[in-house]
Amino acid sequence: MKQTAAAKRTVLGVLAALVLAGCGEAPKPATEPAAAALSVIPAPRDVEIGAGEFVITGRTRLEFGAGVEGEQLGGYLVDLVRRTHGVALKSGGGAGNASNVNVIRFELRDGADALGTEGYVLASSPTRILVSARDSRGVFYGAVTLWQLMRKSDSGIVVPEGLIEDWPRFGWRGLLLDSARHYQPPEFIRKFIDVMALHKLNVLHWHLTDDQAWRLEIKKYPRLTEVGAWRVPAGAAPAADIDPATGKPRLYGGFYSQQDVKDIVAYAKSRNITIVPEIDMPGHASAAIAAYPQLAVIDKPSSQVPADWGIYPNLFNVEESTFQFFQDVLDEVVALFPSEYIHIGGDEAVKDQWKASPRVQARMRELGAKDEHELQSYFVRRMEKFLSGKGRRLIGWDEILEGGLAPNATVMSWRGVEGAVAAASTGHDAVLSPQPTLYFDNRPVAAPSLPGRARVVTVEDVYAFDPAPAALNEEQRKHILGVQANIFTEHIRTLDRVESMTFPRAAALAEVAWSPVKDWAGFSARLPAQLDRYKALNVRYAEPPPPRPLDPFRRNSHELSLCSDKIALSLEDDAPVSGDRAVFLVDIMEPCWLFKDADLSNVTSLVAAVGQVPFNFQIGDAVKAIPLRAPATPAGELEVRIDDCKGERIAVLPLAPAVGNHAVTALPPAQLEAREGKHDLCFMFTQKSIDPTWVIDSIALQTTTAATE
Ligand code: ACM
């Protein structure tokens, strides 16, 4: 790791202090490559490693200087070390043991400006470790680094002798968790916060409201969660899952009570994490509108919370009563969340309803907005003024630039980095959170069991993200508060999968956000230790599936090729309602698969296993571009063509046997004529409508030999 002259001087100063405090000699030169041996993620800024070791034992005592919240920090570290290394440290107590050895001391210190509020210095000798920082946040991160430095050696659990001086590159090191599309219980949120903190991530952007749910209890508007937090999931299987208590389809959902939120916010604070709540407006409004129809633009909005993904046309109206509603909501939000920033969404608000509504058009004129973009801008400015009056700052997705940015607004740039460029060039702050690289709903690995957007964004892709893009000049870069990855959960239904989609990519993000160095080889060398930490803490993480040679005669949908890549998804079945569900690779804009290079020489028949998934995607007029092929029978067919998708049709498999089964059905075998050599086979369905969408689960080719066995 790079060692600047200035940093060196500070390090030597610290070292001198450590020696004066009775810690022995300066580190001897390292005998192994320092940085890789440390396995600290994110990589610390400056590191010097000596040859000695501090041995952690049951007698190692944690000591806290004045002003350090020893009970909290001690409890945290003792627990972490016990869970991951099986050693029980002693925390606090006593005024120091007589020999002043085997002590890990945490203290606050003055000066050392470069450390800032989150930086720390960690000095370890064989007899004593000193973690010092200007602020409790720095002390906390010093403790996290200390924990990561612990490793097994012949002497037990040891910390290498050395000196680390470290502070972050960016102040905003965030993850967005979407708790609207799928609900995660408070225990999970706490676990997520815990794991974030171990990466020195410090912002949890909590996506609490969307079309598919409103998850935050608002005392003044109880229907937001009584109605807005519950929906019937999309698809025939959930629709058939009748709740005996109501005689209606079982509702899926949940919400966070204000007490839950207070507990979570306090917990996050103890882990140095600020929760930035997001209340989305003026779009992503359907759940709130289902609860309070007077917020709608249209006359008779649905009273059901919808379950489609995508972009709904529903917007909030622009009546004074609606602004008042949001001010009331934000009043409660600011009382719950101490965060300086409050996120008001602002994304994907298609203006069709505003354009079509005479009442909105009249209000637009009344409010002096020349078009719908200016009207959204007016909406955002009202909220910004209100939040400013409460001492808070507004942040929104990059669409808030359209129609003019509110004076003190901060932009979260998601449609590339252009939003950040535009914000920064007019003196506004920005957070970089661009798709696809920092969108963790894209799959981390091509594992057939992992739903998500089909595109694979690897750990290395995330690591390669440049938070100082060339599009920004030096001056503009000063406005970049930091980086954030977003875990939107349309396709992430289970808690295990939230973890697998997040980790270890969040480790790469953390290093991008914290470390001034970019060193993929070094990061890769440190990653196995991070994965071991996940294992010890029972955190799921993504790993590339073991390489599996393609079976010449059987392929699941993930092993087939898609004919196109328009909206390619790794899509989970809606059935069975409980238990494991199939996951299909499909381009929902063109469901069509290729079995490439099928050797048909001895093939006599073909077995297709198929599923049907709800077409629950709000994609506007694009839906008209989805090809529909006329069926020959009412239920439709799976057609198999040879050599390409316009080639000879060599088999037709009626779907009737699968219609009544919401999960996967193996259709009766279709006879195939033997043909010489290898051919591509193309699979497409005929059907009257796109809902449900038929999908391939697997294709098996049966040979003469297999058939006679
Ligand atoms: C977004 O992904 N709509 C911010």
Side-chain angles (χ1 to χ4, degrees), residues 176 181 205 207 210 278 280 284 311 343 345-348 397-399 412 414-415 433 435 439 441 453 486 488 490:
L176 172 149
R181 273 51 176 269
H205 172 171
H207 188 73
D210 213 304
E278 180 183 348
D280 213 333
H284 292 288
I311 304 177
H343 203 299
D347 58 321
E348 299 177 325
W397 299 110
D398 53 47
E399 287 93 331
M412 191 168 269
W414 73 279
R415 298 175 299 177
S433 188
Q435 60 177 10
Y439 266 55
D441 50 348
R453 292 180 187 277
N486 299 333
F488 282 109
E490 287 94 332

PDB file of all heavy atoms in Angstrom, residues 176 181 205 207 210 278 280 284 311 343 345-348 397-399 412 414-415 433 435 439 441 453 486 488 490, ligand 1:
ATOM      1  N   LEU A 176     -28.468   0.515  -0.754  1.00  0.00           N
ATOM      2  CA  LEU A 176     -29.919   0.668  -0.703  1.00  0.00           C
ATOM      3  C   LEU A 176     -30.514  -0.714  -0.510  1.00  0.00           C
ATOM      4  O   LEU A 176     -30.146  -1.657  -1.212  1.00  0.00           O
ATOM      5  CB  LEU A 176     -30.455   1.276  -2.003  1.00  0.00           C
ATOM      6  CG  LEU A 176     -32.001   1.321  -2.146  1.00  0.00           C
ATOM      7  CD1 LEU A 176     -32.422   2.527  -2.987  1.00  0.00           C
ATOM      8  CD2 LEU A 176     -32.593   0.052  -2.758  1.00  0.00           C
ATOM      9  N   ARG A 181     -40.603  -3.968  -2.203  1.00  0.00           N
ATOM     10  CA  ARG A 181     -40.960  -5.062  -3.123  1.00  0.00           C
ATOM     11  C   ARG A 181     -41.027  -6.369  -2.351  1.00  0.00           C
ATOM     12  O   ARG A 181     -41.896  -7.186  -2.569  1.00  0.00           O
ATOM     13  CB  ARG A 181     -39.949  -5.156  -4.259  1.00  0.00           C
ATOM     14  CG  ARG A 181     -40.244  -4.269  -5.464  1.00  0.00           C
ATOM     15  CD  ARG A 181     -40.505  -2.816  -5.116  1.00  0.00           C
ATOM     16  NE  ARG A 181     -40.679  -1.983  -6.273  1.00  0.00           N
ATOM     17  CZ  ARG A 181     -39.695  -1.329  -6.902  1.00  0.00           C
ATOM     18  NH1 ARG A 181     -38.460  -1.369  -6.434  1.00  0.00           N
ATOM     19  NH2 ARG A 181     -39.957  -0.598  -7.962  1.00  0.00           N
ATOM     20  N   HIS A 205     -29.564   3.198   2.791  1.00  0.00           N
ATOM     21  CA  HIS A 205     -30.661   3.911   2.125  1.00  0.00           C
ATOM     22  C   HIS A 205     -31.829   2.925   2.138  1.00  0.00           C
ATOM     23  O   HIS A 205     -31.794   1.894   1.475  1.00  0.00           O
ATOM     24  CB  HIS A 205     -30.190   4.263   0.710  1.00  0.00           C
ATOM     25  CG  HIS A 205     -31.243   4.820  -0.188  1.00  0.00           C
ATOM     26  ND1 HIS A 205     -30.952   5.354  -1.414  1.00  0.00           N
ATOM     27  CD2 HIS A 205     -32.579   4.929  -0.076  1.00  0.00           C
ATOM     28  CE1 HIS A 205     -32.049   5.761  -2.013  1.00  0.00           C
ATOM     29  NE2 HIS A 205     -33.051   5.496  -1.226  1.00  0.00           N
ATOM     30  N   HIS A 207     -35.342   1.836   1.290  1.00  0.00           N
ATOM     31  CA  HIS A 207     -36.409   2.074   0.307  1.00  0.00           C
ATOM     32  C   HIS A 207     -37.704   1.514   0.903  1.00  0.00           C
ATOM     33  O   HIS A 207     -37.985   0.326   0.818  1.00  0.00           O
ATOM     34  CB  HIS A 207     -36.023   1.377  -0.993  1.00  0.00           C
ATOM     35  CG  HIS A 207     -36.912   1.683  -2.147  1.00  0.00           C
ATOM     36  ND1 HIS A 207     -36.904   2.894  -2.805  1.00  0.00           N
ATOM     37  CD2 HIS A 207     -37.850   0.942  -2.775  1.00  0.00           C
ATOM     38  CE1 HIS A 207     -37.781   2.871  -3.788  1.00  0.00           C
ATOM     39  NE2 HIS A 207     -38.382   1.698  -3.785  1.00  0.00           N
ATOM     40  N   ASP A 210     -43.202   2.112  -2.180  1.00  0.00           N
ATOM     41  CA  ASP A 210     -43.194   1.931  -3.632  1.00  0.00           C
ATOM     42  C   ASP A 210     -44.599   1.554  -4.061  1.00  0.00           C
ATOM     43  O   ASP A 210     -45.524   1.546  -3.235  1.00  0.00           O
ATOM     44  CB  ASP A 210     -42.154   0.862  -4.038  1.00  0.00           C
ATOM     45  CG  ASP A 210     -41.532   1.196  -5.390  1.00  0.00           C
ATOM     46  OD1 ASP A 210     -42.292   1.344  -6.354  1.00  0.00           O
ATOM     47  OD2 ASP A 210     -40.306   1.345  -5.476  1.00  0.00           O
ATOM     48  N   GLU A 278     -36.286   6.519   2.375  1.00  0.00           N
ATOM     49  CA  GLU A 278     -36.817   7.025   1.107  1.00  0.00           C
ATOM     50  C   GLU A 278     -38.340   6.922   1.112  1.00  0.00           C
ATOM     51  O   GLU A 278     -38.908   5.856   1.335  1.00  0.00           O
ATOM     52  CB  GLU A 278     -36.270   6.247  -0.093  1.00  0.00           C
ATOM     53  CG  GLU A 278     -36.831   6.796  -1.417  1.00  0.00           C
ATOM     54  CD  GLU A 278     -36.380   6.027  -2.655  1.00  0.00           C
ATOM     55  OE1 GLU A 278     -35.458   5.199  -2.562  1.00  0.00           O
ATOM     56  OE2 GLU A 278     -36.979   6.268  -3.719  1.00  0.00           O
ATOM     57  N   ASP A 280     -41.015   7.742  -1.633  1.00  0.00           N
ATOM     58  CA  ASP A 280     -40.975   8.040  -3.068  1.00  0.00           C
ATOM     59  C   ASP A 280     -42.167   8.903  -3.497  1.00  0.00           C
ATOM     60  O   ASP A 280     -43.308   8.611  -3.147  1.00  0.00           O
ATOM     61  CB  ASP A 280     -40.962   6.716  -3.843  1.00  0.00           C
ATOM     62  CG  ASP A 280     -40.166   6.810  -5.146  1.00  0.00           C
ATOM     63  OD1 ASP A 280     -40.064   7.915  -5.719  1.00  0.00           O
ATOM     64  OD2 ASP A 280     -39.661   5.771  -5.586  1.00  0.00           O
ATOM     65  N   HIS A 284     -44.235   6.010  -8.213  1.00  0.00           N
ATOM     66  CA  HIS A 284     -44.167   4.829  -7.332  1.00  0.00           C
ATOM     67  C   HIS A 284     -45.167   4.995  -6.187  1.00  0.00           C
ATOM     68  O   HIS A 284     -44.855   4.796  -5.018  1.00  0.00           O
ATOM     69  CB  HIS A 284     -42.736   4.610  -6.826  1.00  0.00           C
ATOM     70  CG  HIS A 284     -41.806   4.202  -7.940  1.00  0.00           C
ATOM     71  ND1 HIS A 284     -41.851   2.951  -8.520  1.00  0.00           N
ATOM     72  CD2 HIS A 284     -40.846   4.883  -8.610  1.00  0.00           C
ATOM     73  CE1 HIS A 284     -40.943   2.873  -9.496  1.00  0.00           C
ATOM     74  NE2 HIS A 284     -40.325   4.035  -9.572  1.00  0.00           N
ATOM     75  N   ILE A 311     -42.965   0.067 -14.110  1.00  0.00           N
ATOM     76  CA  ILE A 311     -43.297   1.479 -13.873  1.00  0.00           C
ATOM     77  C   ILE A 311     -44.791   1.682 -14.065  1.00  0.00           C
ATOM     78  O   ILE A 311     -45.297   1.610 -15.190  1.00  0.00           O
ATOM     79  CB  ILE A 311     -42.491   2.394 -14.815  1.00  0.00           C
ATOM     80  CG1 ILE A 311     -40.990   2.130 -14.643  1.00  0.00           C
ATOM     81  CG2 ILE A 311     -42.825   3.858 -14.540  1.00  0.00           C
ATOM     82  CD1 ILE A 311     -40.111   2.922 -15.577  1.00  0.00           C
ATOM     83  N   HIS A 343     -34.558  11.060   1.586  1.00  0.00           N
ATOM     84  CA  HIS A 343     -34.663  10.759   0.155  1.00  0.00           C
ATOM     85  C   HIS A 343     -36.130  10.810  -0.263  1.00  0.00           C
ATOM     86  O   HIS A 343     -36.967  10.155   0.342  1.00  0.00           O
ATOM     87  CB  HIS A 343     -34.082   9.365  -0.108  1.00  0.00           C
ATOM     88  CG  HIS A 343     -33.623   9.135  -1.513  1.00  0.00           C
ATOM     89  ND1 HIS A 343     -34.462   9.212  -2.593  1.00  0.00           N
ATOM     90  CD2 HIS A 343     -32.391   8.827  -2.020  1.00  0.00           C
ATOM     91  CE1 HIS A 343     -33.775   8.955  -3.702  1.00  0.00           C
ATOM     92  NE2 HIS A 343     -32.519   8.720  -3.383  1.00  0.00           N
ATOM     93  N   GLY A 345     -37.174  10.110  -3.441  1.00  0.00           N
ATOM     94  CA  GLY A 345     -37.399   9.358  -4.686  1.00  0.00           C
ATOM     95  C   GLY A 345     -37.327  10.274  -5.888  1.00  0.00           C
ATOM     96  O   GLY A 345     -36.281  10.808  -6.218  1.00  0.00           O
ATOM     97  N   GLY A 346     -38.446  10.452  -6.565  1.00  0.00           N
ATOM     98  CA  GLY A 346     -38.473  11.334  -7.728  1.00  0.00           C
ATOM     99  C   GLY A 346     -38.258  10.609  -9.042  1.00  0.00           C
ATOM    100  O   GLY A 346     -38.353  11.220 -10.108  1.00  0.00           O
ATOM    101  N   ASP A 347     -37.984   9.305  -8.983  1.00  0.00           N
ATOM    102  CA  ASP A 347     -37.657   8.568 -10.198  1.00  0.00           C
ATOM    103  C   ASP A 347     -38.910   8.074 -10.924  1.00  0.00           C
ATOM    104  O   ASP A 347     -39.959   7.885 -10.335  1.00  0.00           O
ATOM    105  CB  ASP A 347     -36.778   7.353  -9.858  1.00  0.00           C
ATOM    106  CG  ASP A 347     -37.458   6.416  -8.863  1.00  0.00           C
ATOM    107  OD1 ASP A 347     -38.122   6.939  -7.933  1.00  0.00           O
ATOM    108  OD2 ASP A 347     -37.350   5.201  -9.011  1.00  0.00           O
ATOM    109  N   GLU A 348     -38.728   7.864 -12.202  1.00  0.00           N
ATOM    110  CA  GLU A 348     -39.680   7.123 -13.039  1.00  0.00           C
ATOM    111  C   GLU A 348     -41.126   7.605 -12.896  1.00  0.00           C
ATOM    112  O   GLU A 348     -42.048   6.807 -12.870  1.00  0.00           O
ATOM    113  CB  GLU A 348     -39.581   5.629 -12.707  1.00  0.00           C
ATOM    114  CG  GLU A 348     -38.199   5.073 -12.994  1.00  0.00           C
ATOM    115  CD  GLU A 348     -38.040   3.604 -12.620  1.00  0.00           C
ATOM    116  OE1 GLU A 348     -38.628   3.164 -11.629  1.00  0.00           O
ATOM    117  OE2 GLU A 348     -37.304   2.909 -13.327  1.00  0.00           O
ATOM    118  N   TRP A 397     -33.449  10.830  -6.698  1.00  0.00           N
ATOM    119  CA  TRP A 397     -32.888  10.207  -7.905  1.00  0.00           C
ATOM    120  C   TRP A 397     -32.670  11.279  -8.972  1.00  0.00           C
ATOM    121  O   TRP A 397     -33.267  12.361  -8.915  1.00  0.00           O
ATOM    122  CB  TRP A 397     -33.826   9.121  -8.412  1.00  0.00           C
ATOM    123  CG  TRP A 397     -34.033   8.005  -7.424  1.00  0.00           C
ATOM    124  CD1 TRP A 397     -35.171   7.739  -6.737  1.00  0.00           C
ATOM    125  CD2 TRP A 397     -33.077   7.021  -7.006  1.00  0.00           C
ATOM    126  NE1 TRP A 397     -34.989   6.641  -5.923  1.00  0.00           N
ATOM    127  CE2 TRP A 397     -33.705   6.178  -6.067  1.00  0.00           C
ATOM    128  CE3 TRP A 397     -31.741   6.764  -7.327  1.00  0.00           C
ATOM    129  CZ2 TRP A 397     -33.071   5.102  -5.453  1.00  0.00           C
ATOM    130  CZ3 TRP A 397     -31.100   5.686  -6.710  1.00  0.00           C
ATOM    131  CH2 TRP A 397     -31.751   4.874  -5.796  1.00  0.00           C
ATOM    132  N   ASP A 398     -31.884  10.952  -9.989  1.00  0.00           N
ATOM    133  CA  ASP A 398     -31.421  12.009 -10.896  1.00  0.00           C
ATOM    134  C   ASP A 398     -32.534  12.676 -11.706  1.00  0.00           C
ATOM    135  O   ASP A 398     -32.333  13.760 -12.253  1.00  0.00           O
ATOM    136  CB  ASP A 398     -30.264  11.546 -11.793  1.00  0.00           C
ATOM    137  CG  ASP A 398     -30.541  10.280 -12.574  1.00  0.00           C
ATOM    138  OD1 ASP A 398     -31.612  10.174 -13.168  1.00  0.00           O
ATOM    139  OD2 ASP A 398     -29.650   9.403 -12.603  1.00  0.00           O
ATOM    140  N   GLU A 399     -33.728  12.086 -11.734  1.00  0.00           N
ATOM    141  CA  GLU A 399     -34.838  12.750 -12.429  1.00  0.00           C
ATOM    142  C   GLU A 399     -35.185  14.092 -11.796  1.00  0.00           C
ATOM    143  O   GLU A 399     -35.831  14.924 -12.445  1.00  0.00           O
ATOM    144  CB  GLU A 399     -36.087  11.868 -12.422  1.00  0.00           C
ATOM    145  CG  GLU A 399     -36.021  10.665 -13.364  1.00  0.00           C
ATOM    146  CD  GLU A 399     -35.518   9.402 -12.691  1.00  0.00           C
ATOM    147  OE1 GLU A 399     -34.734   9.518 -11.727  1.00  0.00           O
ATOM    148  OE2 GLU A 399     -35.912   8.312 -13.135  1.00  0.00           O
ATOM    149  N   MET A 412     -28.903  11.643  -6.550  1.00  0.00           N
ATOM    150  CA  MET A 412     -28.385  10.271  -6.580  1.00  0.00           C
ATOM    151  C   MET A 412     -28.449   9.802  -8.026  1.00  0.00           C
ATOM    152  O   MET A 412     -29.521   9.661  -8.600  1.00  0.00           O
ATOM    153  CB  MET A 412     -29.225   9.390  -5.664  1.00  0.00           C
ATOM    154  CG  MET A 412     -28.612   8.038  -5.429  1.00  0.00           C
ATOM    155  SD  MET A 412     -29.459   7.194  -4.081  1.00  0.00           S
ATOM    156  CE  MET A 412     -28.473   7.713  -2.670  1.00  0.00           C
ATOM    157  N   TRP A 414     -28.357   7.502 -10.943  1.00  0.00           N
ATOM    158  CA  TRP A 414     -28.578   6.058 -11.172  1.00  0.00           C
ATOM    159  C   TRP A 414     -28.625   5.688 -12.641  1.00  0.00           C
ATOM    160  O   TRP A 414     -28.321   4.574 -13.008  1.00  0.00           O
ATOM    161  CB  TRP A 414     -29.850   5.590 -10.453  1.00  0.00           C
ATOM    162  CG  TRP A 414     -31.158   6.012 -11.057  1.00  0.00           C
ATOM    163  CD1 TRP A 414     -31.780   7.210 -10.924  1.00  0.00           C
ATOM    164  CD2 TRP A 414     -32.020   5.217 -11.882  1.00  0.00           C
ATOM    165  NE1 TRP A 414     -32.972   7.222 -11.602  1.00  0.00           N
ATOM    166  CE2 TRP A 414     -33.151   5.993 -12.208  1.00  0.00           C
ATOM    167  CE3 TRP A 414     -31.959   3.908 -12.377  1.00  0.00           C
ATOM    168  CZ2 TRP A 414     -34.200   5.531 -13.000  1.00  0.00           C
ATOM    169  CZ3 TRP A 414     -33.010   3.440 -13.169  1.00  0.00           C
ATOM    170  CH2 TRP A 414     -34.113   4.248 -13.467  1.00  0.00           C
ATOM    171  N   ARG A 415     -28.992   6.657 -13.521  1.00  0.00           N
ATOM    172  CA  ARG A 415     -29.038   6.325 -14.947  1.00  0.00           C
ATOM    173  C   ARG A 415     -27.682   6.671 -15.551  1.00  0.00           C
ATOM    174  O   ARG A 415     -27.571   7.539 -16.407  1.00  0.00           O
ATOM    175  CB  ARG A 415     -30.169   7.103 -15.618  1.00  0.00           C
ATOM    176  CG  ARG A 415     -31.550   6.735 -15.045  1.00  0.00           C
ATOM    177  CD  ARG A 415     -32.647   7.595 -15.613  1.00  0.00           C
ATOM    178  NE  ARG A 415     -32.459   9.003 -15.304  1.00  0.00           N
ATOM    179  CZ  ARG A 415     -33.250   9.979 -15.743  1.00  0.00           C
ATOM    180  NH1 ARG A 415     -34.282   9.687 -16.519  1.00  0.00           N
ATOM    181  NH2 ARG A 415     -33.010  11.224 -15.397  1.00  0.00           N
ATOM    182  N   SER A 433     -24.465   6.039  -8.077  1.00  0.00           N
ATOM    183  CA  SER A 433     -25.142   4.770  -7.842  1.00  0.00           C
ATOM    184  C   SER A 433     -25.665   4.215  -9.164  1.00  0.00           C
ATOM    185  O   SER A 433     -26.841   3.861  -9.278  1.00  0.00           O
ATOM    186  CB  SER A 433     -26.295   5.049  -6.868  1.00  0.00           C
ATOM    187  OG  SER A 433     -26.877   3.871  -6.463  1.00  0.00           O
ATOM    188  N   GLN A 435     -26.638   2.222 -12.581  1.00  0.00           N
ATOM    189  CA  GLN A 435     -26.865   0.903 -13.123  1.00  0.00           C
ATOM    190  C   GLN A 435     -25.958   0.751 -14.347  1.00  0.00           C
ATOM    191  O   GLN A 435     -25.584   1.762 -14.938  1.00  0.00           O
ATOM    192  CB  GLN A 435     -28.335   0.735 -13.499  1.00  0.00           C
ATOM    193  CG  GLN A 435     -28.817   1.726 -14.545  1.00  0.00           C
ATOM    194  CD  GLN A 435     -30.262   1.489 -14.943  1.00  0.00           C
ATOM    195  OE1 GLN A 435     -30.970   0.712 -14.333  1.00  0.00           O
ATOM    196  NE2 GLN A 435     -30.701   2.159 -15.980  1.00  0.00           N
ATOM    197  N   TYR A 439     -26.043  -1.878  -9.475  1.00  0.00           N
ATOM    198  CA  TYR A 439     -27.383  -2.423  -9.252  1.00  0.00           C
ATOM    199  C   TYR A 439     -27.254  -3.907  -8.936  1.00  0.00           C
ATOM    200  O   TYR A 439     -27.043  -4.735  -9.822  1.00  0.00           O
ATOM    201  CB  TYR A 439     -28.280  -2.158 -10.479  1.00  0.00           C
ATOM    202  CG  TYR A 439     -29.070  -0.886 -10.307  1.00  0.00           C
ATOM    203  CD1 TYR A 439     -28.403   0.304 -10.035  1.00  0.00           C
ATOM    204  CD2 TYR A 439     -30.461  -0.866 -10.359  1.00  0.00           C
ATOM    205  CE1 TYR A 439     -29.108   1.479  -9.840  1.00  0.00           C
ATOM    206  CE2 TYR A 439     -31.170   0.301 -10.165  1.00  0.00           C
ATOM    207  CZ  TYR A 439     -30.488   1.470  -9.902  1.00  0.00           C
ATOM    208  OH  TYR A 439     -31.181   2.640  -9.691  1.00  0.00           O
ATOM    209  N   ASP A 441     -29.355  -6.002  -8.175  1.00  0.00           N
ATOM    210  CA  ASP A 441     -30.393  -6.957  -8.586  1.00  0.00           C
ATOM    211  C   ASP A 441     -29.950  -7.683  -9.860  1.00  0.00           C
ATOM    212  O   ASP A 441     -30.566  -8.659 -10.261  1.00  0.00           O
ATOM    213  CB  ASP A 441     -31.770  -6.297  -8.760  1.00  0.00           C
ATOM    214  CG  ASP A 441     -31.747  -5.051  -9.627  1.00  0.00           C
ATOM    215  OD1 ASP A 441     -30.655  -4.523  -9.931  1.00  0.00           O
ATOM    216  OD2 ASP A 441     -32.843  -4.606 -10.003  1.00  0.00           O
ATOM    217  N   ARG A 453     -32.021  -9.922 -12.307  1.00  0.00           N
ATOM    218  CA  ARG A 453     -31.826  -9.565 -13.714  1.00  0.00           C
ATOM    219  C   ARG A 453     -30.735 -10.496 -14.241  1.00  0.00           C
ATOM    220  O   ARG A 453     -29.759 -10.774 -13.541  1.00  0.00           O
ATOM    221  CB  ARG A 453     -31.395  -8.110 -13.828  1.00  0.00           C
ATOM    222  CG  ARG A 453     -32.499  -7.163 -13.418  1.00  0.00           C
ATOM    223  CD  ARG A 453     -32.062  -5.717 -13.544  1.00  0.00           C
ATOM    224  NE  ARG A 453     -33.088  -4.863 -12.987  1.00  0.00           N
ATOM    225  CZ  ARG A 453     -34.178  -4.462 -13.666  1.00  0.00           C
ATOM    226  NH1 ARG A 453     -34.336  -4.806 -14.918  1.00  0.00           N
ATOM    227  NH2 ARG A 453     -35.076  -3.709 -13.091  1.00  0.00           N
ATOM    228  N   ASN A 486     -27.306  -0.600  -5.027  1.00  0.00           N
ATOM    229  CA  ASN A 486     -28.736  -0.706  -4.750  1.00  0.00           C
ATOM    230  C   ASN A 486     -29.221  -2.139  -4.856  1.00  0.00           C
ATOM    231  O   ASN A 486     -29.004  -2.793  -5.872  1.00  0.00           O
ATOM    232  CB  ASN A 486     -29.511   0.165  -5.733  1.00  0.00           C
ATOM    233  CG  ASN A 486     -29.123   1.631  -5.601  1.00  0.00           C
ATOM    234  OD1 ASN A 486     -28.705   2.063  -4.524  1.00  0.00           O
ATOM    235  ND2 ASN A 486     -29.250   2.379  -6.678  1.00  0.00           N
ATOM    236  N   PHE A 488     -32.395  -3.578  -5.172  1.00  0.00           N
ATOM    237  CA  PHE A 488     -33.842  -3.572  -5.433  1.00  0.00           C
ATOM    238  C   PHE A 488     -34.299  -5.030  -5.476  1.00  0.00           C
ATOM    239  O   PHE A 488     -33.631  -5.881  -6.066  1.00  0.00           O
ATOM    240  CB  PHE A 488     -34.144  -2.844  -6.749  1.00  0.00           C
ATOM    241  CG  PHE A 488     -34.090  -1.346  -6.595  1.00  0.00           C
ATOM    242  CD1 PHE A 488     -33.068  -0.611  -7.161  1.00  0.00           C
ATOM    243  CD2 PHE A 488     -35.061  -0.681  -5.851  1.00  0.00           C
ATOM    244  CE1 PHE A 488     -33.011   0.771  -7.003  1.00  0.00           C
ATOM    245  CE2 PHE A 488     -35.012   0.703  -5.693  1.00  0.00           C
ATOM    246  CZ  PHE A 488     -33.982   1.426  -6.271  1.00  0.00           C
ATOM    247  N   GLU A 490     -37.258  -6.740  -6.431  1.00  0.00           N
ATOM    248  CA  GLU A 490     -38.339  -7.385  -7.193  1.00  0.00           C
ATOM    249  C   GLU A 490     -38.107  -8.883  -7.311  1.00  0.00           C
ATOM    250  O   GLU A 490     -39.023  -9.688  -7.131  1.00  0.00           O
ATOM    251  CB  GLU A 490     -38.430  -6.809  -8.612  1.00  0.00           C
ATOM    252  CG  GLU A 490     -38.999  -5.412  -8.696  1.00  0.00           C
ATOM    253  CD  GLU A 490     -37.931  -4.332  -8.682  1.00  0.00           C
ATOM    254  OE1 GLU A 490     -36.849  -4.563  -8.102  1.00  0.00           O
ATOM    255  OE2 GLU A 490     -38.161  -3.260  -9.252  1.00  0.00           O
TER     256      GLU A 490
HETATM  257  C1  ACM B   1     -34.456   3.423  -9.814  1.00  0.00           C
HETATM  258  O1  ACM B   1     -33.815   2.390 -10.030  1.00  0.00           O
HETATM  259  N1  ACM B   1     -35.664   3.593 -10.324  1.00  0.00           N
HETATM  260  C2  ACM B   1     -33.901   4.462  -9.000  1.00  0.00           C
END
